[in-house]
Amino acid sequence: MADSDEEPITLSSHALAALQEFYGERDAHADKFEKLKAAAEEQHGAQQVLSMDAFTEDWNESQFWYSDETATLLAKQLLDGIREDEVIAVVSAPSVFVALKNLLNVADASAPKPKQVYLLEHDQRFSVFPEFVFYDFQQPIKLPAQLKGAVDRIICDPPFLSEDCQTKAALTVRWMSRSSADTDSRLRLIVCTGERMEALVTKLYRSFGTQTTTFEPRHARGLSNEFYCYANYECEAWKFKGEEEKDSKEDK
C-alpha cells in the first residue's frame, strides 16, 4: 500500500486536550526556569524572591521538596548566630538552599552573613546558582579541595533511604566538617531523613553528638515515609526527643 493511501492518525478530543495541557505546563515550567536562570546570572538578580516552582521534582532522583515553612525554618537555623568567617554547606536539600538565599537577600545590611554558602547537588539544573557544586553520593569526597575541613554549618538530606547512601553522605559530612581544634565554635549539623534510618543516623553521626529531635520536616507534596530531623544541638525550633520526655516527666 502506498504511503499516500494510509489513513492519517487522529486523536480524540479528550486526548488532544490532555496533550495540549501537557505542552502548556511544560512550556510554563521552561519559562519559569529561564527567568530564574536570568535572575541568578544578573548582578542585581539577588534581590528577586526565588522559588522552587521552576524546578519540578524528579522522583527518579528521589526529589521531594520541603514545604516553604519547613525549608525556611531549617534555613533560619543555619543562619542563627552566624559569623562572617563561617561557611555553610547544603547537601542534597535544594529547597533549603533556595530559602537560605531568600533570607540572605532580605537580611539587614548590618546583619552578619556567612563567608560562603555551597549547594552540593546532583541535579545539574541547580548549576544556575554560582554556589552549586556537583555532588554524587557514590563518590562522597570527589569535591573541590577547598571544602575539606572548611565547613562550619551543614544540613544533609541523603537522597535515598539505604544504608549505602546514608553512610556515604555521612562520609561527605565528616570530610567537610571543620575540626573543633581549628575554630572556637562547634559544628552545627542537621540531618533530615526517614524515621527508619534513626538507628543508623545516630550511629554515623555519634561523634558530633547528633540526636533525634522533636521537629518533623514536612514536604510540599506530602511523603508516605515518616521523616525525622536529627541535629547536634537544641534550639527554639526543636529539642532532643529524650530531653523533651524528661522535661515532661519533671513537670508532672
Side-chain angles (χ1 to χ4, degrees):
M1 182 181 290
D3 290 344
S4 59
D5 293 333
E6 292 182 356
E7 289 290 329
I9 297 174
T10 58
L11 296 174
S12 68
S13 58
H14 178 74
L16 185 60
L19 185 63
Q20 289 174 335
E21 183 181 2
F22 169 78
Y23 282 125
E25 290 180 354
R26 185 194 65 178
D27 292 344
H29 278 296
D31 183 57
K32 284 182 181 179
F33 183 77
E34 288 303 317
K35 288 180 179 178
L36 178 61
K37 183 178 179 181
E41 291 174 347
E42 288 177 7
Q43 183 176 359
H44 301 294
Q47 300 305 316
Q48 298 188 25
V49 176
L50 303 174
S51 170
M52 289 300 291
D53 290 345
F55 302 96
T56 53
E57 295 171 334
D58 183 348
W59 292 358
N60 290 324
E61 292 267 356
S62 191
Q63 290 179 336
F64 303 95
W65 306 149
Y66 293 126
S67 67
D68 289 344
E69 294 78 11
T70 289
T72 300
L73 182 148
L74 293 170
K76 284 181 176 178
Q77 280 306 309
L78 289 172
L79 290 175
D80 184 43
I82 194 75
R83 298 186 329 208
E84 295 193 343
D85 62 343
E86 290 184 308
V87 175
I88 296 174
V90 179
V91 185
S92 302
S95 53
V96 176
F97 169 77
V98 167
L100 186 64
K101 292 270 289 184
N102 285 330
L103 290 173
L104 289 171
N105 290 343
V106 299
D108 187 273
S110 61
K113 296 178 177 61
K115 177 182 179 181
Q116 180 68 49
V117 175
Y118 294 100
L119 170 64
L120 277 64
E121 174 57 45
H122 190 266
D123 189 341
Q124 291 280 1
R125 291 178 299 171
F126 291 96
S127 64
V128 296
F129 298 108
E131 299 92 341
F132 174 84
V133 175
F134 179 74
Y135 174 64
D136 181 354
F137 78 87
Q138 297 285 10
Q139 298 176 300
I141 59 173
K142 189 177 181 181
L143 294 164
Q146 71 264 25
L147 278 170
K148 185 175 182 180
V151 182
D152 306 279
R153 297 175 180 226
I154 301 172
I155 183 168
C156 180
D157 182 349
F160 298 102
L161 300 180
S162 69
E163 182 173 347
D164 179 61
C165 179
Q166 299 285 332
T167 301
K168 288 175 178 173
L171 179 58
T172 301
V173 169
R174 286 197 293 271
W175 184 84
M176 289 193 302
S177 300
R178 192 187 304 276
S179 169
S180 58
D182 300 330
T183 178
D184 57 4
S185 64
R186 181 186 180 208
L187 173 82
R188 277 201 173 198
L189 174 62
I190 305 169
V191 180
C192 294
T193 189
E195 171 271 339
R196 72 183 195 217
M197 296 284 106
E198 183 175 21
L200 179 62
V201 168
T202 51
K203 176 183 176 182
L204 290 170
Y205 299 99
R206 184 175 296 150
S207 62
F208 296 109
T210 302
Q211 299 182 46
T212 308
T213 75
T214 54
F215 178 64
E216 295 184 6
R218 302 296 179 188
H219 293 79
R221 299 179 184 273
L223 196 64
S224 58
N225 298 314
E226 190 174 1
F227 231 67
Y228 278 3
C229 173
Y230 309 85
N232 68 340
Y233 66 99
E234 294 181 300
C235 59
E236 289 186 1
W238 60 68
K239 300 296 181 186
F240 294 140
K241 270 202 167 180
E243 292 300 315
E244 181 196 37
E245 292 172 2
K246 186 191 302 180
D247 291 343
S248 178
K249 290 179 180 177
E250 289 176 355
D251 291 339
K252 291 178 181 178

